[in-house]
Amino acid sequence: MTGPYRPGTPCWIDLMVPDQQAALDFYAGLFGWTGEIGPPETGGYSVCEYKGQPVAGIMKAVNPDGSVPDPMPPAAWTTYLAVHDVHEVVRAGAAAGGGTLVDPTDVMDLGRMAVLSDPTGAVYGIWQAGTFRGAGIVNEDGTLTWNELATGDPGKAAAYYAEILPITPTPSEMPGAEGYTEIKVNDRAVGGIMSLDQHPKGTPPHWLPYFRVADADATQAAAERAGGSVMAPAFDMPVGRMAVLADPQGAVFAVITPNEAPEQPDPM
């Protein structure tokens, strides 16, 4: 990535876990990332890198005052969408029926963030770039390649995001993807929305990150050897072969081996 992300595009992901070092070790082994626990002034936040570029964040679950949460929240990945103005999107989100979990916060000179929930209950973040744009590499093996919202009401969710961000929800025309909605920015698909009907009963609304890998089956086996678990064994789909996995602390993510290399991103 050589320029800023267009507003509405997923630009960053991070993971909150009880054991930060264990998560760093797991993803380093699985995807080849490097990272270490950050300094106290950043709350120990780890920026993981691949080929010298930032690809994801990992942090320890703590309360704002630094104490350990009780009960401990479940380990989970958060998808961040690029925005021009965090405050404006927070106001628009509230007016459109969403909620605010973390108020707009400056992150030094790196940028400004907030964590919101859509009207269907899915949690996501927004990022207004300062000196930090977001992921420096995407669509390569070991890096983020897709972000997908699973929700009990895809229509309601699509209307919400289209109301507060410059995105266009579009029914997928891909064979075998009936009922799937693509999220488009500047006529380019940057994410998707699907129904929870295709998930195990009781699965809450959520944003799921997909990581590109050279071999989904081999990555699935490697995750299991490292203590992870398989939520959906590797299977073929119209765009490639994918699996849904969970790390040893329970955070869920997907891996995919595309049938063809994706186009390089056009962020500007």
Side-chain angles (χ1 to χ4, degrees):
M1 298 299 295
T2 57
Y5 285 84
R6 291 180 182 272
T9 305
C11 63
W12 187 242
I13 50 170
D14 64 21
L15 172 65
M16 180 179 288
V17 288
D19 189 333
Q20 185 180 14
Q21 187 60 58
L24 288 167
D25 294 341
F26 174 81
Y27 290 99
L30 197 65
F31 297 137
W33 297 351
T34 59
E36 57 185 29
I37 296 174
E41 57 266 29
T42 64
Y45 192 94
S46 301
V47 175
C48 298
E49 295 188 346
Y50 183 75
K51 296 183 179 180
Q53 293 291 326
V55 291
I58 296 179
M59 58 184 163
K60 181 179 177 62
V62 294
N63 292 319
D65 62 2
S67 61
V68 177
D70 184 16
M72 181 68 68
W77 283 99
T78 298
T79 290
Y80 289 79
L81 307 178
V83 300
H84 271 317
D85 188 322
V86 162
H87 289 277
E88 179 180 305
V89 174
V90 168
R91 288 193 294 268
T100 302
L101 281 68
V102 177
D103 289 327
T105 303
D106 289 324
V107 185
M108 299 179 288
D109 64 346
L110 301 175
R112 181 174 294 160
M113 56 83 67
V115 178
L116 310 179
S117 61
D118 68 31
T120 74
V123 174
Y124 68 101
I126 53 175
W127 180 253
Q128 177 184 334
T131 60
F132 182 76
R133 298 188 186 101
I137 299 179
V138 295
N139 294 340
E140 291 190 15
D141 290 347
T143 70
L144 184 68
T145 195
W146 191 249
N147 298 76
E148 182 177 85
L149 170 64
T151 170
D153 192 335
K156 185 175 184 178
Y160 165 82
Y161 289 101
E163 176 72 19
I164 70 171
L165 295 166
I167 68 166
T168 304
T170 306
S172 177
E173 298 180 354
M174 183 171 52
E178 292 77 12
Y180 193 85
T181 299
E182 295 179 1
I183 298 171
K184 291 189 174 183
V185 173
N186 197 37
D187 204 34
R188 180 187 181 86
V190 299
I193 302 175
M194 70 179 301
S195 173
L196 278 172
D197 291 346
Q198 302 177 46
H199 290 69
K201 187 176 181 179
T203 301
H206 63 278
W207 278 89
L208 180 72
Y210 282 62
F211 299 103
R212 176 175 163 156
V213 295
D215 187 328
D217 294 85
T219 302
Q220 174 182 306
E224 288 187 281
R225 289 194 299 271
S229 55
V230 178
M231 310 301 288
F235 62 95
D236 293 317
M237 57 184 302
V239 296
R241 187 165 176 81
M242 67 168 287
V244 182
L245 310 173
D247 67 27
Q249 300 183 69
V252 179
F253 61 98
V255 296
I256 185 167
T257 303
N259 290 331
E260 296 179 0
E263 301 174 29
Q264 290 303 304
D266 173 21
M268 295 182 287

